[in-house]
Amino acid sequence: MCGIIAIVGKTSVSERLIESLRRLEYRGYDSAGIAGVVDGKVERRRAKGKIRALEEVLSDTPLTATVGIGHTRWATHGVPSVPNAHPHQAGRVTLVHNGIIENFAELKADLQAAGRKFESETDTEVIAQLIDSRLDAGDAPLDAFKTTLDRLTGAFALAVLIEGHDRLVLGARRGSPLVVGEGLGEMFLGSDALAIGPFTNRVVYLEEGDYVAIDDTSARIFDEEGRPVTRPVKVVAAAAALVEKGNHRHFMVKEIYEQPDACQHTLTAYLDPVKGRLHAPGDVDFARVERLQIIACGTAFYAASIARYLFERLAGLPCDVEIASEFRYREPAVTPGTLAIAVSQSGETADTLAALRWCQAKGLKTAAIVNAHESTMAREAGIMWPTHAGPEIGVASTKAFTSQVTALTALAVAAAAARGRIDEAEERRLARVLLEAPRLIGESLDVEAAVTALAPKIARARDVLYLGRGPMAPLAYEGALKLKEISYIHAEGYAAGELKHGPIALVDEETPIIIIAPSDALFEKTVSNMSEVVARGGKVVLITDETGAHHAPAGADVIIAPACDPLIAALVFAAPIQLLAYHVAVQKGADVDQPRNLAKSVTVE
Ligand code: AGP
């Protein structure tokens, strides 16, 4: 997944292209580049690495143009390098691309057979070569563009400059998001509304298959059949000010500390604090839902896996949760009474979006729990259930995760009430428990000092195991994901009861075993697991509450989180594992907000 931006402007665009790329850097940061029309020619400036490397190139060789495009890359085809950095150029065509062209190899072979020379290893360059070959054949720009689009299979969001057409940018969207921004005598294209937020709040969301020609004052939009179409202009509240870290060292820790507010704001969409009742927004009657099928990736999958315990235990609702990238390829036997729920912070994750569309094609009712309320999933799902975490910039998801768990927990209680599994008194009690969550999440942040002291010991580990039971098992998986994705230490999560069926072979004096165990109904079982580990010389880190701390084995490191109702334990025990991963990564000098090889929104399959 990459970020793209285009500006047809009245004044110099270089600085504004860079500002947009900074807002898009969460989508990938392997390389970056811009291009602009200078005296009728299109000039490029590209750099390997992050935006700041590109800024250094621009300070040496400024680019003065009023029409330009920009790109920040997460490498799919071709290593991160200047030749593989976008924008790519072929003859009169210069363009930027987000997505993957699945038939690029055969197209490239045809073009090479026709004598065309390639400078990069990327799939993207094929698009530029194709358009230029159509221009050679005498096509007008829009025809050359459309003919090319029809030959591509795969996903793309594009912005294209063509020499000789100085005030024109062509754009297209298939499988990767692209928005049009309407300014005052200026027009914009961007991967999302945030990218063009500093320039305009008037946004047009292109639909699948749309392509567009923008100039100083207009955007001519066409559907995939080539018919002129009008798409609604929306006034969005995209943050015009770049999201800042404030006095925090990294976005990740800032966002960990924003979790009490994120939880509180998310609850407002599902819980009426005056009535003390919960509800599911939109057209859904849980009394008529026979089964839930939740699809998600990464951290969102673990949030959904926690919810499975609640939907089944509280609402008596069968609930399957599956990794989106596996779900549709196994052709699941879904039944008509199933409600499919996609969970996604970005609302653009290609695997999850494809699984959602698969469910829709099967005629299932669908919903999407998303943090980006104008995202593709938000617009395509039958119901949009929001999280209100605010923009999450750190690649490692934290406040979005607890906001997802908050929304799912509220929905599970609402479902239990709707299905008559709990009476009004119990619903009100659980609502009060949920209302305590923001405060208890805030109190759980007090573990930071203890976690910071522990971090150097974990930072020396080669492998780390995370264990949990019940809803703490998915939290163990999430804790392992946090650690591995920002500190690069190998970590695995396991259901604590599973340890003795193999993973215990990994236990030695060098491997920290992090056990997430509030003093709940399963705690005694977990104490047994701790004994198994200690008996083999394992080093236990027990994350528990005051009561549980009395059962910590001798020599164990103990992190004490606030005691809480089991309904919200995953919310209250999230910050300790997030802060542990964060401080270990800081110990290791890792790039916490932009870990290697990762990106915030994975819009390719
Ligand atoms: C989480 O820390 C990771 N960045 C990643 O697993 C992420 O949760 C996953 O890619 C899903 O993203 P989404 O919520 O935007 O769909």
Side-chain angles (χ1 to χ4, degrees):
M1 57 318 302
C2 309
I4 68 174
I5 179 72
I7 302 175
V8 179
K10 293 186 289 193
T11 60
S12 173
V13 296
S14 289
E15 301 75 15
R16 292 191 285 172
L17 291 171
I18 292 294
E19 180 175 0
S20 288
L21 291 181
R22 283 209 169 286
R23 290 161 160 261
L24 289 166
E25 204 169 23
Y26 73 92
R27 301 172 69 88
Y29 33 84
D30 292 329
S31 64
I34 66 171
V37 180
V38 180
D39 301 331
K41 293 291 183 189
V42 177
E43 292 186 13
R44 292 184 290 177
R45 304 288 188 274
R46 300 181 291 172
K48 179 182 174 184
K50 298 185 177 179
I51 306 294
R52 59 174 169 266
L54 177 59
E55 288 181 295
E56 288 165 16
V57 169
L58 284 164
S59 64
D60 295 340
T61 52
L63 181 70
T64 305
T66 58
V67 178
I69 57 179
H71 184 274
T72 183
R73 183 177 185 231
W74 184 76
T76 54
H77 295 74
V79 297
S81 67
V82 171
N84 288 334
H86 301 218
H88 285 289
Q89 196 164 63
R92 287 152 292 185
V93 180
T94 307
L95 59 77
V96 290
H97 166 222
N98 173 29
I100 290 182
I101 303 305
E102 294 176 1
N103 63 334
F104 91 95
E106 61 194 83
L107 294 172
K108 184 169 182 175
D110 291 350
L111 288 158
Q112 286 174 320
R116 287 200 160 254
K117 303 296 182 209
F118 283 73
E119 67 172 28
S120 81
E121 305 163 318
T122 68
D123 55 333
T124 301
E125 188 184 354
V126 164
I127 308 170
Q129 295 277 6
L130 273 177
I131 297 170
D132 192 54
S133 67
R134 291 310 311 162
L135 295 173
D136 284 349
D139 283 6
L142 210 50
D143 296 331
F145 190 47
K146 173 63 172 131
T147 303
T148 298
L149 298 180
D150 291 342
R151 294 194 59 191
L152 305 178
T153 60
F156 51 79
L158 296 169
V160 183
L161 294 173
I162 295 179
E163 275 187 15
H165 299 270
D166 294 358
R167 310 299 298 173
L168 173 72
V169 175
L170 301 176
R173 178 223 159 122
R174 188 197 300 169
S176 295
L178 189 67
V179 302
V180 179
E182 290 187 350
L184 297 176
E186 300 187 309
M187 296 296 278
F188 309 90
L189 294 177
S191 290
D192 58 29
L194 210 56
I196 57 176
F199 319 131
T200 181
N201 62 359
R202 292 175 54 78
V203 174
V204 174
Y205 290 88
L206 295 179
E207 297 193 7
E208 279 297 282
D210 284 358
Y211 61 101
V212 63
I214 64 171
D215 56 26
D216 299 82
T217 57
S218 71
R220 290 176 290 143
I221 303 173
F222 305 87
D223 67 15
E224 59 187 341
E225 306 306 323
R227 295 180 297 249
V229 292
T230 303
R231 302 297 184 205
V233 177
K234 294 195 172 183
V235 177
V236 298
L242 189 62
V243 179
E244 297 296 345
K245 285 184 282 203
N247 59 3
H248 292 282
R249 184 173 171 188
H250 297 102
F251 279 111
M252 182 178 175
V253 68
K254 170 178 176 279
E255 288 153 4
I256 289 172
Y257 273 82
E258 288 174 342
Q259 290 185 115
D261 288 344
C263 174
Q264 181 66 56
H265 297 158
T266 297
L267 274 176
T268 61
Y270 305 92
L271 193 160
D272 181 330
V274 174
K275 296 178 185 168
R277 307 298 299 274
L278 288 132
H279 67 278
D283 173 24
V284 65
D285 177 2
F286 276 112
R288 300 163 61 87
V289 174
E290 294 169 14
R291 168 176 292 278
L292 295 180
Q293 175 62 64
I294 309 181
I295 46 197
C297 298
T299 287
F301 170 73
Y302 299 134
S305 301
I306 289 167
R308 176 172 179 241
Y309 290 87
L310 304 176
F311 276 114
E312 298 217 343
R313 178 186 303 155
L314 287 175
L317 191 51
C319 178
D320 288 321
V321 182
E322 190 155 356
I323 294 286
S325 57
E326 286 296 310
F327 173 73
R328 65 193 174 107
Y329 291 116
R330 68 175 182 80
E331 297 177 16
V334 292
T335 51
T338 299
L339 171 64
I341 304 174
V343 182
S344 174
Q345 188 282 131
S346 62
E348 300 294 351
T349 297
D351 291 321
T352 310
L353 179 58
L356 177 69
R357 288 171 173 169
W358 187 92
C359 291
Q360 286 175 321
K362 293 292 183 184
L364 299 186
K365 193 177 182 69
T366 61
I369 297 177
V370 292
N371 198 41
H373 306 151
E374 298 287 349
S375 59
T376 303
M377 278 183 232
R379 286 183 282 114
E380 293 193 6
I383 304 168
M384 193 275 280
W385 284 330
T387 57
H388 291 290
E392 185 177 70
I393 306 303
V395 166
S397 186
T398 51
K399 63 177 182 174
F401 169 71
T402 46
S403 298
Q404 289 160 355
V405 175
T406 299
L408 286 159
T409 303
L411 288 165
V413 177
R419 297 166 63 84
R421 295 270 299 193
I422 58 175
D423 62 16
E424 185 175 328
E426 177 63 1
E427 181 190 344
R428 289 178 183 278
R429 184 188 75 80
L430 294 176
R432 287 192 299 274
V433 168
L434 265 171
L435 285 170
E436 287 179 37
R439 172 179 61 80
L440 290 169
I441 294 171
E443 289 178 13
S444 73
L445 297 168
D446 293 343
V447 305
E448 183 162 27
V451 161
T452 305
L454 179 60
K457 183 188 292 187
I458 307 299
R460 291 194 294 270
R462 188 196 66 239
D463 302 291
V464 181
L465 287 183
Y466 286 74
L467 305 179
R469 282 181 179 265
M472 297 302 106
L475 195 61
Y477 284 88
E478 168 60 11
L481 174 61
K482 286 282 100 43
L483 186 70
K484 71 181 102 175
E485 71 175 327
I486 63 174
S487 73
Y488 314 147
I489 295 172
H490 172 246
E492 290 191 65
Y494 274 101
E498 192 60 11
L499 189 72
K500 55 188 174 294
H501 298 289
I504 199 165
L506 293 173
V507 174
D508 61 20
E509 291 76 13
E510 304 305 316
T511 307
I513 314 293
I514 297 172
I515 298 176
I516 308 167
S519 56
D520 58 14
L522 295 171
F523 184 73
E524 288 310 312
K525 298 285 186 190
T526 308
V527 169
S528 305
N529 300 136
M530 272 190 292
S531 305
E532 293 157 13
V533 167
V534 171
R536 290 160 179 80
K539 290 290 175 282
V540 167
V541 175
L542 176 60
I543 302 177
T544 186
D545 48 37
E546 282 291 353
T547 303
H550 298 308
H551 299 271
D557 290 297
V558 183
I559 303 294
I560 298 179
C564 64
D565 187 290
L567 181 74
I568 57 172
L571 291 171
V572 176
F573 279 68
I577 61 160
Q578 294 164 346
L579 286 168
L580 178 59
Y582 171 75
H583 283 288
V584 170
V586 168
Q587 279 288 326
K588 300 200 70 169
D591 191 343
V592 171
D593 285 332
Q594 297 180 339
R596 69 186 181 198
N597 306 339
L598 294 182
K600 183 65 181 172
S601 176
V602 185
T603 58
V604 293
E605 281 198 80

